[in-house]
């Protein structure tokens, strides 16, 4: 399973990077709490101008940046991904303005962890 996730070194690097980011972010209520855990396009719907989230199988406590990283990474295959990511981050900041949560390095660390998690899940 570890080989399918990119090998020992890839997994170790992703985990170490996220541990460092989590330590830097801390666990205050402004950056940590209940997260969806799988916030991608299949799991949110638009209804009357509002976003509705579904499928809470992976929810738990974590850093809010994880959900933002997953949602942002899920846009990678779209041709307008840059504009969509910018709009996503702008909308996110309008509700949760903590700059650390939207830092590109923070999001990259959580996106890397998500990739490893998905590869491990598929390998099992």
């Amino acid at each position: 399973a570890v080989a399918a996730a990119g090998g020992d070194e890839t997994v170790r690097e992703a985990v170490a990077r996220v541990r460092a980011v989590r330590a830097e972010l801390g666990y205050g209520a402004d950056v940590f709490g209940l997260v969806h855990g799988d916030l991608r396009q299949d799991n949110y719907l638009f209804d009357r101008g509002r976003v509705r989230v579904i499928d809470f199988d992976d929810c738990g406590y974590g850093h809010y940046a994880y959900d933002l990283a997953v949602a942002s990474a899920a846009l990678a295959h779209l041709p307008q991904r840059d504009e969509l990511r910018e709009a996503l981050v702008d909308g996110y900041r309008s509700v949760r303005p903590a700059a650390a949560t939207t830092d590109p390095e923070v999001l990259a660390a959580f996106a890397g962890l998500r990739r490893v998690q998905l590869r491990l899940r598929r390998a099992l």
Side-chain angles (χ1 to χ4, degrees), residues 53-117:
V53 180
I54 61 171
D55 187 7
F56 290 86
D57 291 353
D58 294 333
C59 76
Y61 287 93
H63 285 87
Y64 300 132
Y66 182 84
D67 272 347
L68 183 58
V70 169
S72 180
L75 302 172
H77 69 285
L78 299 172
Q80 66 275 34
R81 64 186 159 269
D82 293 333
E83 294 86 4
L84 290 170
R85 284 180 176 153
E86 185 177 332
L88 175 64
V89 170
D90 287 347
Y92 185 90
R93 282 185 182 140
S94 73
V95 176
R96 189 167 300 284
T101 307
T102 58
D103 180 276
E105 293 297 318
V106 169
L107 296 179
F110 281 113
L113 176 65
R114 175 68 172 179
R115 281 190 300 278
V116 166
Q117 290 170 328

Side-chain angles (χ1 to χ4, degrees), residues 37-56:
D38 191 22
L39 198 56
R40 53 194 174 82
Q41 286 181 301
D42 294 347
N43 290 333
Y44 54 85
L45 308 169
F46 294 94
D47 178 46
R48 299 181 194 141
R50 297 191 60 163
V51 179
R52 308 291 183 186
V53 180
I54 61 171
D55 187 7
F56 290 86

Side-chain angles (χ1 to χ4, degrees), residues 10-26:
T10 299
V11 172
R12 280 192 195 102
E13 286 175 13
V15 170
R17 197 168 165 200
V18 166
R19 282 184 176 155
V21 164
R22 289 179 2 185
E24 187 175 318
L25 287 174

